[in-house]
Short mmCIF file of all heavy atoms in Angstrom, two decimals:
data_model
loop_
_atom_site.label_atom_id
_atom_site.label_comp_id
_atom_site.label_asym_id
_atom_site.label_seq_id
_atom_site.Cartn_x
_atom_site.Cartn_y
_atom_site.Cartn_z
N SER I 868 -31.85 295.83 14.94
CA SER I 868 -32.53 296.59 16.05
C SER I 868 -32.18 296.15 17.49
O SER I 868 -31.61 295.07 17.48
CB SER I 868 -34.10 296.60 15.78
OG SER I 868 -34.59 295.19 15.89
N ASP I 869 -32.59 296.85 18.38
CA ASP I 869 -32.34 296.41 19.77
C ASP I 869 -33.39 295.35 20.17
O ASP I 869 -34.59 295.69 20.08
CB ASP I 869 -32.49 297.62 20.66
CG ASP I 869 -31.38 298.71 20.40
OD1 ASP I 869 -30.23 298.32 20.14
OD2 ASP I 869 -31.74 299.95 20.47
N GLU I 870 -32.97 294.19 20.49
CA GLU I 870 -33.80 293.07 20.77
C GLU I 870 -33.40 292.57 22.24
O GLU I 870 -32.43 292.95 22.74
CB GLU I 870 -33.73 292.03 19.83
CG GLU I 870 -33.98 292.47 18.42
CD GLU I 870 -35.47 292.88 18.24
OE1 GLU I 870 -36.38 292.56 18.97
OE2 GLU I 870 -35.79 293.61 17.23
N ASN I 871 -34.17 291.52 22.66
CA ASN I 871 -33.85 291.00 23.96
C ASN I 871 -33.92 289.50 24.00
O ASN I 871 -34.30 288.87 25.00
CB ASN I 871 -34.82 291.49 25.03
CG ASN I 871 -34.31 291.37 26.43
OD1 ASN I 871 -33.08 291.51 26.69
ND2 ASN I 871 -35.12 291.41 27.39
N TYR I 872 -33.31 288.89 22.93
CA TYR I 872 -33.19 287.43 22.87
C TYR I 872 -32.21 286.97 23.93
O TYR I 872 -31.13 287.70 24.20
CB TYR I 872 -32.65 287.10 21.52
CG TYR I 872 -33.53 287.34 20.34
CD1 TYR I 872 -33.43 288.54 19.53
CD2 TYR I 872 -34.66 286.53 20.03
CE1 TYR I 872 -34.22 288.77 18.46
CE2 TYR I 872 -35.51 286.82 19.02
CZ TYR I 872 -35.37 287.93 18.16
OH TYR I 872 -36.15 288.18 17.18
N TRP I 873 -32.52 286.04 24.64
CA TRP I 873 -31.57 285.43 25.66
C TRP I 873 -31.45 286.40 26.79
O TRP I 873 -30.34 286.45 27.41
CB TRP I 873 -30.27 284.97 25.09
CG TRP I 873 -30.41 283.68 24.15
CD1 TRP I 873 -31.03 283.55 23.00
CD2 TRP I 873 -29.72 282.43 24.29
NE1 TRP I 873 -30.84 282.39 22.42
CE2 TRP I 873 -30.07 281.69 23.23
CE3 TRP I 873 -29.01 281.91 25.39
CZ2 TRP I 873 -29.61 280.41 23.10
CZ3 TRP I 873 -28.44 280.65 25.30
CH2 TRP I 873 -28.86 279.75 24.15
N GLN I 874 -32.34 287.30 26.92
CA GLN I 874 -32.21 288.45 27.85
C GLN I 874 -30.86 289.16 27.74
O GLN I 874 -30.29 289.62 28.72
CB GLN I 874 -32.25 287.77 29.35
CG GLN I 874 -33.35 286.93 29.57
CD GLN I 874 -34.67 287.78 29.62
OE1 GLN I 874 -34.88 288.89 30.22
NE2 GLN I 874 -35.72 287.29 28.89
N THR I 875 -30.49 289.51 26.48
CA THR I 875 -29.35 290.17 26.22
C THR I 875 -29.45 291.68 26.10
O THR I 875 -28.47 292.44 26.24
CB THR I 875 -28.60 289.59 25.01
OG1 THR I 875 -29.54 289.79 23.81
CG2 THR I 875 -28.17 288.20 25.16
N GLY I 876 -30.59 292.11 25.68
CA GLY I 876 -30.77 293.50 25.31
C GLY I 876 -29.84 294.00 24.29
O GLY I 876 -29.37 295.13 24.17
N PHE I 877 -29.46 293.01 23.48
CA PHE I 877 -28.41 293.31 22.35
C PHE I 877 -29.00 294.06 21.07
O PHE I 877 -30.12 293.84 20.70
CB PHE I 877 -27.77 291.99 21.93
CG PHE I 877 -26.69 292.25 20.94
CD1 PHE I 877 -25.41 292.74 21.46
CD2 PHE I 877 -26.84 291.90 19.56
CE1 PHE I 877 -24.46 292.89 20.37
CE2 PHE I 877 -25.91 292.20 18.71
CZ PHE I 877 -24.66 292.66 19.16
N GLY I 878 -28.24 294.95 20.56
CA GLY I 878 -28.56 295.59 19.35
C GLY I 878 -27.45 296.79 19.23
O GLY I 878 -26.71 297.02 19.87
N PRO I 879 -27.90 297.64 18.17
CA PRO I 879 -27.01 298.74 17.99
C PRO I 879 -26.76 299.68 19.12
O PRO I 879 -25.69 300.24 19.46
CB PRO I 879 -27.61 299.45 16.82
CG PRO I 879 -28.36 298.41 16.13
CD PRO I 879 -28.84 297.50 17.21
N THR I 880 -27.89 299.92 19.96
CA THR I 880 -27.74 300.87 21.12
C THR I 880 -26.81 300.26 22.15
O THR I 880 -26.02 300.95 22.69
CB THR I 880 -29.17 301.20 21.63
OG1 THR I 880 -29.94 301.64 20.66
CG2 THR I 880 -29.02 302.15 22.80
N ASN I 881 -26.96 298.99 22.40
CA ASN I 881 -26.14 298.41 23.49
C ASN I 881 -24.68 298.31 23.05
O ASN I 881 -23.81 298.51 23.91
CB ASN I 881 -26.58 296.97 23.71
CG ASN I 881 -26.28 296.56 25.24
OD1 ASN I 881 -25.60 297.19 25.93
ND2 ASN I 881 -26.79 295.37 25.61
N VAL I 882 -24.37 298.16 21.68
CA VAL I 882 -23.05 298.16 21.27
C VAL I 882 -22.51 299.63 21.61
O VAL I 882 -21.30 299.91 22.16
CB VAL I 882 -22.83 297.85 19.81
CG1 VAL I 882 -21.46 298.17 19.34
CG2 VAL I 882 -23.33 296.48 19.64
N LEU I 883 -23.22 300.72 21.30
CA LEU I 883 -22.88 302.08 21.57
C LEU I 883 -22.63 302.36 23.04
O LEU I 883 -21.61 302.91 23.37
CB LEU I 883 -23.87 302.95 21.01
CG LEU I 883 -23.61 304.48 21.13
CD1 LEU I 883 -22.37 304.89 20.48
CD2 LEU I 883 -24.78 305.27 20.55
N LEU I 884 -23.53 301.80 23.85
CA LEU I 884 -23.40 302.00 25.26
C LEU I 884 -22.03 301.30 25.73
O LEU I 884 -21.37 301.78 26.72
CB LEU I 884 -24.55 301.43 26.02
CG LEU I 884 -25.91 302.11 25.68
CD1 LEU I 884 -27.09 301.51 26.53
CD2 LEU I 884 -25.88 303.62 25.97
N HIS I 885 -21.86 300.09 25.28
CA HIS I 885 -20.58 299.47 25.74
C HIS I 885 -19.43 300.25 25.20
O HIS I 885 -18.46 300.29 25.89
CB HIS I 885 -20.57 297.96 25.17
CG HIS I 885 -21.31 297.05 26.12
ND1 HIS I 885 -22.59 296.93 26.11
CD2 HIS I 885 -20.83 296.23 27.04
CE1 HIS I 885 -23.08 296.08 27.05
NE2 HIS I 885 -21.91 295.57 27.51
N ARG I 886 -19.46 300.75 24.00
CA ARG I 886 -18.38 301.53 23.47
C ARG I 886 -18.04 302.65 24.46
O ARG I 886 -16.86 302.96 24.84
CB ARG I 886 -18.59 301.99 22.08
CG ARG I 886 -17.39 302.56 21.38
CD ARG I 886 -17.61 302.96 19.88
NE ARG I 886 -17.95 301.79 19.08
CZ ARG I 886 -17.13 300.98 18.64
NH1 ARG I 886 -15.83 301.11 18.89
NH2 ARG I 886 -17.57 300.00 17.82
N LEU I 887 -19.02 303.35 24.96
CA LEU I 887 -18.84 304.51 25.79
C LEU I 887 -18.34 304.00 27.14
O LEU I 887 -17.35 304.69 27.70
CB LEU I 887 -20.24 305.17 26.13
CG LEU I 887 -20.76 305.90 24.86
CD1 LEU I 887 -22.26 306.30 25.08
CD2 LEU I 887 -19.88 307.14 24.60
N SER I 888 -18.85 302.99 27.69
CA SER I 888 -18.30 302.47 28.94
C SER I 888 -16.85 302.02 28.78
O SER I 888 -15.99 302.23 29.83
CB SER I 888 -19.23 301.15 29.24
OG SER I 888 -18.67 300.64 30.62
N ILE I 889 -16.53 301.38 27.73
CA ILE I 889 -15.02 301.01 27.47
C ILE I 889 -14.16 302.26 27.41
O ILE I 889 -13.11 302.25 27.89
CB ILE I 889 -15.04 300.11 26.30
CG1 ILE I 889 -15.57 298.69 26.66
CG2 ILE I 889 -13.74 300.00 25.67
CD1 ILE I 889 -15.83 297.73 25.53
N GLU I 890 -14.75 303.31 26.71
CA GLU I 890 -13.88 304.51 26.60
C GLU I 890 -13.68 305.12 27.97
O GLU I 890 -12.61 305.62 28.28
CB GLU I 890 -14.55 305.43 25.67
CG GLU I 890 -14.50 305.15 24.17
CD GLU I 890 -13.00 305.04 23.64
OE1 GLU I 890 -12.04 305.70 24.03
OE2 GLU I 890 -12.76 304.23 22.66
N LEU I 891 -14.64 305.01 28.79
CA LEU I 891 -14.51 305.48 30.19
C LEU I 891 -13.43 304.66 30.95
O LEU I 891 -12.59 305.19 31.62
CB LEU I 891 -15.86 305.41 30.93
CG LEU I 891 -15.83 306.06 32.41
CD1 LEU I 891 -15.34 307.53 32.37
CD2 LEU I 891 -17.26 305.79 32.96
N ASP I 892 -13.57 303.30 30.72
CA ASP I 892 -12.61 302.45 31.35
C ASP I 892 -11.16 302.77 30.93
O ASP I 892 -10.18 302.66 31.63
CB ASP I 892 -12.78 301.04 31.28
CG ASP I 892 -14.00 300.56 32.00
OD1 ASP I 892 -14.27 301.16 33.08
OD2 ASP I 892 -14.53 299.46 31.68
N LEU I 893 -10.99 303.24 29.65
CA LEU I 893 -9.70 303.62 29.04
C LEU I 893 -9.40 305.03 29.23
O LEU I 893 -8.48 305.50 28.54
CB LEU I 893 -9.72 303.11 27.55
CG LEU I 893 -9.84 301.72 27.34
CD1 LEU I 893 -10.10 301.37 25.74
CD2 LEU I 893 -8.69 300.90 27.77
N ASP I 894 -10.07 305.70 30.10
CA ASP I 894 -9.81 307.07 30.44
C ASP I 894 -10.00 308.13 29.27
O ASP I 894 -9.46 309.19 29.44
CB ASP I 894 -8.39 307.23 31.10
CG ASP I 894 -8.23 306.43 32.36
OD1 ASP I 894 -9.21 306.38 33.15
OD2 ASP I 894 -7.16 305.93 32.54
N ASN I 895 -10.87 307.76 28.46
CA ASN I 895 -11.17 308.70 27.42
C ASN I 895 -12.52 309.48 27.84
O ASN I 895 -13.64 309.34 27.10
CB ASN I 895 -11.41 308.07 25.99
CG ASN I 895 -11.55 309.01 24.87
OD1 ASN I 895 -11.55 310.23 25.10
ND2 ASN I 895 -11.52 308.48 23.57
N VAL I 896 -12.39 310.29 28.83
CA VAL I 896 -13.55 311.01 29.43
C VAL I 896 -14.25 311.88 28.38
O VAL I 896 -15.43 312.06 28.28
CB VAL I 896 -13.21 311.69 30.72
CG1 VAL I 896 -14.31 312.54 31.27
CG2 VAL I 896 -12.77 310.77 31.81
N ALA I 897 -13.43 312.64 27.74
CA ALA I 897 -14.02 313.62 26.72
C ALA I 897 -14.91 313.01 25.71
O ALA I 897 -15.92 313.52 25.24
CB ALA I 897 -12.83 314.35 26.09
N TYR I 898 -14.48 311.77 25.17
CA TYR I 898 -15.40 311.06 24.29
C TYR I 898 -16.71 310.74 24.86
O TYR I 898 -17.74 310.79 24.21
CB TYR I 898 -14.59 309.70 23.82
CG TYR I 898 -15.34 308.94 22.84
CD1 TYR I 898 -15.30 309.13 21.49
CD2 TYR I 898 -16.23 307.93 23.28
CE1 TYR I 898 -16.09 308.34 20.56
CE2 TYR I 898 -16.99 307.17 22.38
CZ TYR I 898 -16.90 307.39 21.02
OH TYR I 898 -17.65 306.70 20.23
N VAL I 899 -16.67 310.25 26.10
CA VAL I 899 -17.90 309.86 26.76
C VAL I 899 -18.80 311.09 26.96
O VAL I 899 -20.03 311.00 26.81
CB VAL I 899 -17.64 309.10 28.12
CG1 VAL I 899 -19.00 308.70 28.80
CG2 VAL I 899 -16.82 307.84 27.82
N VAL I 900 -18.20 312.18 27.34
CA VAL I 900 -19.07 313.34 27.61
C VAL I 900 -19.60 313.83 26.34
O VAL I 900 -20.79 314.30 26.16
CB VAL I 900 -18.13 314.46 28.28
CG1 VAL I 900 -18.87 315.86 28.27
CG2 VAL I 900 -17.83 314.04 29.80
N GLU I 901 -18.78 313.81 25.26
CA GLU I 901 -19.33 314.30 23.97
C GLU I 901 -20.34 313.45 23.35
O GLU I 901 -21.30 313.89 22.66
CB GLU I 901 -18.10 314.41 23.01
CG GLU I 901 -18.38 315.10 21.65
CD GLU I 901 -17.17 315.07 20.80
OE1 GLU I 901 -16.13 315.55 21.41
OE2 GLU I 901 -17.26 314.90 19.61
N ASN I 902 -20.32 312.10 23.63
CA ASN I 902 -21.09 311.13 22.90
C ASN I 902 -22.23 310.36 23.86
O ASN I 902 -22.91 309.60 23.34
CB ASN I 902 -20.32 310.14 22.06
CG ASN I 902 -19.50 310.73 21.08
OD1 ASN I 902 -19.95 311.09 20.05
ND2 ASN I 902 -18.15 310.88 21.35
N GLY I 903 -22.20 310.73 25.07
CA GLY I 903 -23.01 310.00 26.05
C GLY I 903 -24.44 310.33 26.14
O GLY I 903 -25.14 309.63 26.81
N GLN I 904 -24.91 311.36 25.53
CA GLN I 904 -26.28 311.68 25.64
C GLN I 904 -27.13 310.89 24.67
O GLN I 904 -27.35 311.21 23.56
CB GLN I 904 -26.41 313.20 25.19
CG GLN I 904 -27.72 313.88 25.60
CD GLN I 904 -27.80 314.14 27.05
OE1 GLN I 904 -26.76 313.78 27.81
NE2 GLN I 904 -28.73 314.83 27.60
N ILE I 905 -27.50 309.66 25.19
CA ILE I 905 -28.25 308.73 24.41
C ILE I 905 -29.60 308.34 25.05
O ILE I 905 -29.56 308.26 26.36
CB ILE I 905 -27.43 307.47 24.26
CG1 ILE I 905 -26.14 307.74 23.58
CG2 ILE I 905 -28.22 306.39 23.62
CD1 ILE I 905 -25.07 306.62 23.55
N ASN I 906 -30.63 308.20 24.22
CA ASN I 906 -31.96 307.80 24.88
C ASN I 906 -31.81 306.33 25.23
O ASN I 906 -31.66 305.49 24.27
CB ASN I 906 -33.02 308.05 23.94
CG ASN I 906 -34.35 307.59 24.44
OD1 ASN I 906 -34.52 306.98 25.49
ND2 ASN I 906 -35.41 307.91 23.71
N VAL I 907 -31.87 305.95 26.45
CA VAL I 907 -31.75 304.57 26.90
C VAL I 907 -33.09 304.05 27.54
O VAL I 907 -33.08 302.96 28.04
CB VAL I 907 -30.64 304.34 27.98
CG1 VAL I 907 -29.24 304.55 27.20
CG2 VAL I 907 -30.75 305.25 29.05
N ASP I 908 -34.11 304.77 27.43
CA ASP I 908 -35.38 304.43 28.01
C ASP I 908 -35.94 303.16 27.47
O ASP I 908 -36.76 302.48 28.14
CB ASP I 908 -36.42 305.63 27.81
CG ASP I 908 -36.05 306.85 28.48
OD1 ASP I 908 -35.34 306.78 29.46
OD2 ASP I 908 -36.52 308.01 28.08
N HIS I 909 -35.54 302.78 26.27
CA HIS I 909 -36.16 301.56 25.67
C HIS I 909 -35.32 300.33 26.04
O HIS I 909 -35.67 299.18 25.79
CB HIS I 909 -36.28 301.63 24.23
CG HIS I 909 -34.96 301.72 23.47
ND1 HIS I 909 -34.15 302.85 23.49
CD2 HIS I 909 -34.33 300.82 22.69
CE1 HIS I 909 -33.03 302.70 22.85
NE2 HIS I 909 -33.07 301.38 22.30
N MET I 910 -34.16 300.53 26.72
CA MET I 910 -33.23 299.46 27.12
C MET I 910 -33.62 298.73 28.34
O MET I 910 -34.35 299.31 29.10
CB MET I 910 -31.88 299.96 27.16
CG MET I 910 -31.28 300.63 25.97
SD MET I 910 -31.11 299.48 24.54
CE MET I 910 -29.87 298.42 25.12
N PRO I 911 -33.19 297.53 28.56
CA PRO I 911 -33.47 296.85 29.78
C PRO I 911 -33.02 297.72 30.97
O PRO I 911 -32.06 298.49 30.85
CB PRO I 911 -32.63 295.54 29.72
CG PRO I 911 -32.55 295.23 28.29
CD PRO I 911 -32.48 296.59 27.65
N GLN I 912 -33.70 297.63 32.07
CA GLN I 912 -33.52 298.54 33.24
C GLN I 912 -32.03 298.59 33.70
O GLN I 912 -31.36 299.62 33.87
CB GLN I 912 -34.31 298.08 34.31
CG GLN I 912 -34.24 299.03 35.61
CD GLN I 912 -35.08 298.48 36.72
OE1 GLN I 912 -34.95 297.45 37.20
NE2 GLN I 912 -36.19 299.42 36.99
N GLU I 913 -31.36 297.40 33.82
CA GLU I 913 -29.99 297.34 34.27
C GLU I 913 -29.12 297.98 33.31
O GLU I 913 -28.08 298.77 33.67
CB GLU I 913 -29.48 295.94 34.43
CG GLU I 913 -28.25 295.71 35.05
CD GLU I 913 -27.82 294.23 35.18
OE1 GLU I 913 -28.69 293.33 35.34
OE2 GLU I 913 -26.65 293.96 35.20
#
């Protein structure tokens, strides 16, 4: 589950968010648009 040990906000959702960010950095915009609609309200603010 998504947890906040060591102030990491680490868990399955954060891995997915990083995957999207990385795809954007690698210019895979279509992937981010298609998969980017994620509920992030439970994640740390930053």
Side-chain angles (χ1 to χ4, degrees):
S868 61
D869 297 318
E870 302 295 340
N871 202 23
Y872 297 99
W873 293 60
Q874 304 296 313
T875 59
F877 183 74
T880 303
N881 208 352
V882 172
L883 180 56
L884 297 179
H885 275 79
R886 190 173 299 279
L887 291 166
S888 181
I889 285 167
E890 289 298 332
L891 184 58
D892 285 341
L893 295 171
D894 297 322
N895 191 353
V896 173
Y898 179 88
V899 179
V900 169
E901 184 177 319
N902 297 286
Q904 196 76 353
I905 297 169
N906 180 354
V907 292
D908 295 337
H909 68 288
M910 297 299 292
Q912 184 181 67
E913 183 179 336

